[in-house]
Every structure is written in structure tokens, then in C-alpha cells.
Amino acid sequence: MAGMKVAEVLRNRDFDFYWGGVVLSQIGSRGTIAANLYQVYELSGSVAQTGLVGAAQVVALVVLSPLAGVYADRVDRRKLLQWSQAVAMVVALALAATSFAGHVDVVQVVGSVVLTTAAASFDQPARQALIPALVPRAQLPQAFALLNPSRELAVLLGPALSGVLIAVSGPGLMYAVDAVTYLLLMVTLALLRIPHLPGSGEHITLREQFVEGVRFVLGRRIVWQMVLLDLVATVFAAYRVLLPTLAIDRFHLGATAYGLLSAAPSAGALIATYTVFRVVARSKRLGKVLLASTIAYGLSAVLLAWSAGLVVALVACLLLGAFDAMATTIRQAAVQLETPDSLRGRVSAIYQMASRGGPALGDTVIGGVAAAAGPVLALMIGGLATAAFAIAHFGRANPVRTYAAARAEEPTQA
């Protein structure tokens, strides 16, 4: 039975096109961010100014996500995606041109990050909300099980591609390649055979529409608990901010160890892809699988905190990536399945603020605790807090623990 489901998803022409376009676009985007960081440091020689790249992303994401979610429900999602890709493509081409000409400066690079992230803020909610139009509801968890690893693949391949292209002809070449990936996704979207997605129109104000989305999330217990689970895991078990100190101060292997530790979670997620796919295809108790994965994620963070050698730390990072892939797949699919189509854009935007803003907040929280109490204690407390939060859901009846396989009917707003 599971084999049939796998074959059905992979034989879906529109989903396959979309999946391929998303993978290429994400690789280009990750490569561009790596090139942005390199170029800002090359131009300024300042780590502080290099940090502006991340700050620009966070500001654009937090400010624009609510508006982006509203528009994902207000207008045709396919057209919104195409327009966001077009804006990002123009920005990439402009930055490529100035880089090749040798007239680029830090302000231009950081400004391009703001504009690209702004476009991505409109892209992501519409991208998530479009998926239910591509596959049957029963196959939605499997679709996410295939889409989520593409992010990890991009994390691995994007910076590597960027390094090669920078070595060949500088950051400008990476930006030019990124522009091509945006164009390819625009063409892919045009080829999709899906119904016209007109959106809700303009019968209410933007503010009223956003409030409607927030009210739905707060009123649908399974949705806000999924968002909360994501926040707890990403804030309290934010291990990536501690990888440099582990590599340099504990293992005394510098950049080599840091590179391995940084890549290991993505490798773990990719290795676990088949298992994740099989579990979401077979399991009728996805809520319990989600909670078990979250507990294992927290305990893996504890293992990383106490790892005395690089090998154990790499194993812990592989496990973190694998269990994160499992939990993320189920959370994202559940949020989409439990949300009516008319609200998917706004709910996806709220979820995006948690899933992408949580790690940034977690870096700040865990970094601050680590500065005061040491990295071992900070990550141990955070990992145990994450595991304890998930364990608490096993002890009493709640929508997360009892969450089952996808239902065939469309959920109501009640």
C-alpha cells in the first residue's frame, strides 16, 4: 500500500515539475546568501558588517510576513509566486551586473538581501499554500516528505556551488546563476496544470483579513500547538550557534570541524528522507511519531552538548537533522491539512514567522545563556526543555498526541 502511495505522488506531473523548480530555486538562493556573506566581508573586512546580511533577512521576514500571508489568500497564488520570482530575478541580475562591473559596495549587497528576502516573504506562504492544489489531500504528508529534504539539499549544494563560482569569476557569477533559477521556476509555474486560484478578492481590508487568520490559528488548537512545538524546539535547542565554539574550543580543529558539524544535520535529514517518507505513508499515528521525534531531537541536542569527541558530535548532528526532518514534515503537513484553503496563505505566513524566526531567536537565547553559563549547560538545558515539553503531551489527551493520518474532507473554520 505504501509503495502505491509513493508511486502516485511521484507520477504526479505537476508536483514533479514544481518540486524540481523549487529544488533549483532553493539551491540558487542558498548559494546567493553564501556569496552575499563572502562579498560583504571581502568589501568591508568586518565581521560586524557581514552580520548585517542576517539582520537584513530577519527584519524583512518579520515585517512583511503578515502582509505576505494576506496576499497569498487575496490574489492568485500562482501569479503571486511568479511576481515574487520576477522581483528576485531582477535583483539578482542587478547585483550580478554591478559585481561584474566592480562598482558594488556593502550597502548595495545588504540592500539586495532586503529586497530578495522581501520577495521570499511573499513567496513562501504562497508556495506552501499552493501545494494542496497539486496533490490529493491524502498524499499531502508524502509531498512534504519530498519537499522538505530539498531545503537540506540546498543547504549542502548551494554554498558549495557558490564557492566554485566565486573561485571562477567572483560573486557576480553566482548571482547570474541564481537569476536563471528564478526564471526556470517562473516557467515551471506557468506549465502547471492546476485550476485558476483567484483568491478572496478585496471585500475586506488587509488588517481585517490578517486578524481573521490570527483568530483562526488561535481558535484551532491543533494548529497553534504545532506552531508552538516548532518554536520550542527551534528556540530552546538552537544548537547551530554553538557549533563554532565546539569546533574551535572543544575539539581544537577549527574550520575543518566546523564545516563537518555544520553539514552533518543536513546530511542526516537527507539520509532519513526514505524513512520519513515511509513513516508518513504508513503511520496512522502521526501525532505520536511527531512527539517521539521531538523528544529524540531534544535528547540529541543533549548528546551534542556532552560529546567529548568529534565523532560523537557528528553522530549527534546527524540525529538532529534526521529527527528534525521527521518532525518538520509532520508539522507542516498537519498545518496545511487542518487549514481551509481560503486561509492557507495567512496561516502559512504565521507558521513561517515561527519556523524561520524561531532559529534566529534561539541563536540569541542560547548564545546569551552560553555566554553566562557555558555552551554545555546552555544546550543541555535547552535540549531537556524541548524533550520535556514533548513528553508532557504524551501524559494527557490533546490534539497533537491523537493526530492521525490525513482526512479526506476539507476542514471547516470552526
Side-chain angles (χ1 to χ4, degrees):
M1 183 66 178
M4 288 178 60
K5 288 184 178 180
V6 171
E8 288 170 1
V9 171
L10 294 178
R11 284 201 298 263
N12 185 319
R13 167 197 177 273
D14 294 310
F15 176 75
D16 288 346
F17 276 174
Y18 184 71
W19 182 27
V22 166
V23 170
L24 288 175
S25 179
Q26 288 183 328
I27 291 173
S29 298
R30 292 287 181 170
T32 286
I33 288 297
N36 293 149
L37 292 167
Y38 178 89
Q39 191 170 34
V40 169
Y41 187 76
E42 185 181 49
L43 291 169
S44 67
S46 168
V47 175
Q49 290 192 45
T50 305
L52 293 175
V53 172
Q57 289 179 285
V58 172
V59 170
L61 173 69
V62 171
V63 171
L64 292 175
S65 284
L67 182 63
V70 170
Y71 272 100
D73 288 333
R74 199 176 183 92
V75 302
D76 187 302
R77 289 166 186 161
R78 173 160 41 185
K79 289 183 179 178
L80 180 59
L81 275 169
Q82 289 174 316
W83 275 106
S84 67
Q85 299 299 304
V87 170
M89 181 182 69
V90 171
V91 172
L93 286 173
L95 192 57
T98 55
S99 296
F100 282 131
H103 300 312
V104 68
D105 58 29
V106 171
V107 173
Q108 290 172 332
V109 177
V110 174
S112 75
V113 174
V114 172
L115 294 175
T116 302
T117 306
S121 297
F122 283 86
D123 173 287
Q124 291 296 326
R127 184 181 293 189
Q128 294 283 320
L130 182 65
I131 297 170
L134 298 173
V135 300
R137 284 178 56 78
Q139 295 176 12
L140 194 58
Q142 292 92 322
F144 276 104
L146 289 174
L147 282 164
N148 284 327
S150 67
R151 178 191 63 184
E152 308 300 339
L153 187 65
V155 169
L156 287 174
L157 296 184
L161 174 64
S162 184
V164 172
L165 296 180
I166 289 172
V168 171
S169 187
L173 184 56
M174 180 65 243
Y175 303 144
V177 170
D178 192 22
V180 173
T181 67
Y182 288 126
L183 177 61
L184 290 175
L185 184 53
M186 289 169 61
V187 173
T188 298
L189 289 166
L191 294 174
L192 296 182
R193 297 178 303 195
I194 55 177
H196 177 58
L197 304 170
S200 63
E202 302 179 358
H203 60 284
I204 59 175
T205 66
L206 294 174
R207 179 182 176 279
E208 289 172 333
Q209 207 164 358
F210 177 69
V211 169
E212 183 183 24
V214 173
R215 189 179 295 119
F216 171 82
V217 171
L218 295 178
R220 174 77 69 164
R221 191 178 174 196
I222 182 65
V223 173
W224 67 254
Q225 285 192 345
M226 290 291 181
V227 174
L228 186 58
L229 267 174
D230 194 309
L231 267 177
V232 168
T234 55
V235 171
F236 289 101
Y239 62 92
R240 290 185 185 272
V241 70
L242 301 181
L243 295 183
T245 186
L246 293 177
I248 296 170
D249 299 327
R250 179 180 297 182
F251 305 132
H252 307 291
L253 294 173
T256 301
Y258 178 62
L260 291 172
L261 291 172
S262 297
S266 296
L270 290 173
I271 292 170
T273 296
Y274 179 74
T275 300
V276 173
F277 197 101
R278 297 281 290 181
V279 167
V280 298
R282 284 183 163 185
S283 178
K284 301 299 182 183
R285 300 178 179 180
L286 292 181
K288 291 182 179 179
V289 174
L290 167 61
L291 292 175
S293 299
T294 305
I295 293 168
Y297 179 82
L299 296 180
S300 297
V302 174
L303 176 62
L304 176 62
W306 285 101
S307 57
L310 180 60
V311 173
V312 177
L314 287 172
V315 170
C317 285
L318 286 168
L319 292 174
L320 281 163
F323 290 122
D324 182 46
M326 179 73 74
T328 299
T329 296
I330 296 173
R331 285 196 304 262
Q332 289 185 343
V335 169
Q336 293 296 323
L337 285 165
E338 295 300 316
T339 303
D341 184 69
S342 61
L343 288 162
R344 281 198 175 109
R346 281 161 285 177
V347 174
S348 294
I350 293 170
Y351 185 81
Q352 171 183 258
M353 293 176 69
S355 62
R356 296 180 65 185
L361 177 60
D363 286 349
T364 304
V365 172
I366 296 299
V369 176
V376 172
L377 187 59
L379 193 53
M380 185 187 71
I381 293 174
L384 290 176
T386 300
F389 186 78
I391 290 171
H393 283 75
F394 269 115
R396 53 188 174 80
N398 62 85
V400 175
R401 190 187 72 178
T402 58
Y403 190 74
R407 299 192 301 271
E409 72 272 9
E410 179 76 12
T412 64
Q413 294 189 33

